[in-house]
Amino acid sequence: MLTEALTTERVDGSVSAVHDALTANGLGPYFGTPCGVLAPLLSLLERGGDYHVVAREDNAVGVAAGASLAGACPVVLMQNSGLGQSVNALASLVVPYRIPMLLIISMRGTAPDTTTENLAMGRLTGPVLEGLGIGYEYLTGAGAERQLAKAATVVREKRLPCALLVRPDEFAWKV
Amino acid sequence: MTLTKTAAVTVALAQAPGLPTVFTTGYAARIGAAAGGHNHFYMTGSMGLALSLGTGIAMHSRRTTLVVDGDGSLLMNPVGLVMAGARPDLPLIHLVLDDGAYASTGGQRSPGDSVDLPGWARACGFSRVHTVGSEEALAAVLREELRNPPAPVFVQCRVTSDTTAPPPRVTDDLEGITARFSEFLAPQV
């Protein structure tokens, strides 16, 4: 019981720290596609007014690109399977046109997620982002304040896309 | 009397001058670029995302946005209709130039013969849906819709592929397109 209580506290802390840091940096609108790992964060974002569910990840990237052209600092939240779906949108629109946005990508197929269908994207997420020239780091609750301030600077001032990766268990997802 | 793709673009730009305008991949972008305009965004890659891009522009700028799309692009990724159609006050005109073909890759037939594109739009929530096939009808629909309150509007425009040579490819300065278009959209202070 004690362990469970501690786990819950840590998890809530990580999710709320990330949510607070997103809000504090004036990021948004948010475009989300479903993801069990990100579910606790998506639930918090859904309570705000500027969260939009998009049926497919590359469409979310497309809508975010439009919002970005119109002056917003959009955030797209997706699972790394959705990154696979979005590669062309990033490769032929976001990167060559230099359209700034923040991607928050959960890392299915990496420990502790052993689901076979996700292993390939687990291996490919880093290399794909590197190949696209999109900078990334792992998002943590403890580092969220610093990481999101930095990401906001990259998006807003350097006018570049960047990505934050989320480990499967960062928000207490279980296999 | 048939309506060519180039003639349809010319009519649309004349009826809707100065709107933020997104041109889809292929000849549409090249025809748009030949017409030129600081209010244009030429989406040279990412086929199928013109409507999504236009939706983001319309949502955030609240300005009526014209998306010049093609049947091939819409068939490749109809998900854009789902998001745009769900927003009854979205100021967006989705103009689909339907020639039943992939003109820029050699004129292969698109797989849309059995698909009711306006029906897709209606099913996704578009309440204002039109099909036109002449310069006069296209001009009349755009004139009327621009007077009406903002809503997602779907216009299927039946066209024939151009028989004349297409304009040259869009310049490689894609970052320049972003900078110019963002500046055009920036709120006036």
Side-chain angles (χ1 to χ4, degrees), chain A residues 123-141:
Chain A
R123 288 192 300 271
L124 286 168
T125 297
V128 165
L129 289 170
E130 283 153 24
L132 288 166
I134 295 177
Y136 65 88
E137 60 180 274
Y138 277 86
L139 178 63
T140 63

Side-chain angles (χ1 to χ4, degrees), chain B residues 100-119:
Chain B
Y102 298 102
S104 68
T105 53
Q108 300 90 355
R109 280 176 56 192
S110 80
D113 282 356
S114 59
V115 177
D116 175 8
L117 298 179

